[in-house]
Amino acid sequence: MRILYQFPISHYCEKTRWQLDHKGLDYRPRNLLPGPHRLRTQWLARINTLPILRDGDRTVGDSTKIAYYLEKYYPARPLVPEDADSRARVIELEQHFDRFAVHVRRWLYGQVLDRPEIMDAMLDPYRLPGPIKRALVPLTREGVRRLYAIKPKAVVYSEQRVEEGLALVEEALRRGAGDYLVADRLTLADISAAALMAPLVSPPGTPWDVFDESDLPASLQKKLNDMRERPAGQWILERYRTDR
């Protein structure tokens, strides 16, 4: 049995879910509670982060390591081209978007972390009794704030990096002159870009489609709408409609 240890709301976990689904691989998601998850992740893979994939006797942690593990052991429906130049470009883009994803997370939490919908999205999958959930909400919120350095200067810097990430999508599309970032079909570069940047545009049905934006501050509404309407945002939404 293949088990994916995950946070449902994590865009890094979404990257791995998408790859598993694309390859048609059966797996069972197992949600770990934020904070206490480290006891399990240290035992499984000697890391503090998710996702972790347990595939029979093999255990692989980190979305990038999982990606290349799956390409090696499950080569059907490949996501990394054989052509050397295209392969190098896919690897390069995957690495870039993995780094930008840190800033997507920090910037977005910097805007909405105090909204109750965020804690609901984080904690509701665990079906906790009401009193336990209420006790965990402030602890989880402050844990996220500390872990991801949700501080004013850091959030401003991350906004700049988010813009760079969106611009990289658009540059890659111009360079490729097609629907995909590198080849004429879906690759790991596309899955990485779309999954890791998706929280910015909240594709319908995804874990980030959790609240009504109409009651957000007007400046944030405009910012999110601008991201959704620009070519990179439209491309992410199209990848979810077409390939996810």
Side-chain angles (χ1 to χ4, degrees), residues 11-30:
H11 51 342
Y12 287 102
C13 295
E14 166 67 357
K15 174 185 164 188
T16 297
R17 290 193 299 264
W18 192 335
Q19 187 179 12
L20 286 163
D21 292 338
H22 171 81
K23 287 180 170 291
L25 298 175
D26 292 332
Y27 65 96
R28 186 173 69 213
R30 182 167 296 177

Side-chain angles (χ1 to χ4, degrees), residues 64-230:
T64 296
K65 291 180 180 179
I66 293 170
Y68 292 106
Y69 167 85
L70 293 174
E71 288 303 300
K72 178 179 179 179
Y73 288 99
Y74 301 98
R77 303 201 72 196
L79 287 164
V80 178
E82 292 184 3
D83 170 70
D85 290 341
S86 296
R87 182 183 184 88
R89 180 61 172 162
V90 166
I91 292 171
E92 177 189 18
L93 288 172
E94 189 274 340
Q95 292 173 346
H96 280 310
F97 288 114
D98 236 44
R99 290 190 287 267
F100 284 129
V102 173
H103 299 285
V104 170
R105 181 173 60 196
R106 179 184 294 136
W107 178 77
L108 198 55
Y109 279 143
Q111 314 308 311
V112 300
L113 183 58
D114 291 328
R115 290 181 64 97
E117 297 96 329
I118 300 304
M119 288 298 104
D120 289 344
M122 283 191 175
L123 297 176
D124 282 356
Y126 306 96
R127 300 181 181 179
L128 301 167
I132 294 177
K133 179 186 172 183
R134 287 192 292 274
L136 283 177
V137 162
L139 297 175
T140 303
R141 181 181 289 121
E142 290 312 306
V144 168
R145 203 182 305 277
R146 289 194 302 271
L147 180 63
Y148 301 141
I150 314 298
K151 301 176 182 178
K153 287 185 179 179
V155 171
V156 170
Y157 173 68
S158 287
E159 182 176 1
Q160 298 169 0
R161 299 306 308 278
V162 165
E163 290 293 329
E164 292 173 17
L166 293 169
L168 179 59
V169 171
E170 292 162 358
E171 186 275 332
L173 288 172
R174 288 192 296 269
R175 179 171 169 176
D179 293 333
Y180 298 102
L181 300 183
V182 178
D184 59 357
R185 59 177 176 81
L186 190 75
T187 69
L188 183 60
D190 301 294
I191 287 179
S192 299
L196 295 174
M197 306 297 282
L200 300 170
V201 299
S202 303
T206 63
W208 313 288
D209 183 21
V210 295
F211 53 79
D212 181 2
E213 294 181 10
S214 65
D215 61 350
L216 293 173
S219 59
L220 181 56
Q221 287 185 47
K222 183 178 186 306
K223 181 71 174 180
L224 293 172
N225 190 60
D226 287 347
M227 288 181 177
R228 192 172 288 118
E229 292 301 320
R230 65 184 288 173

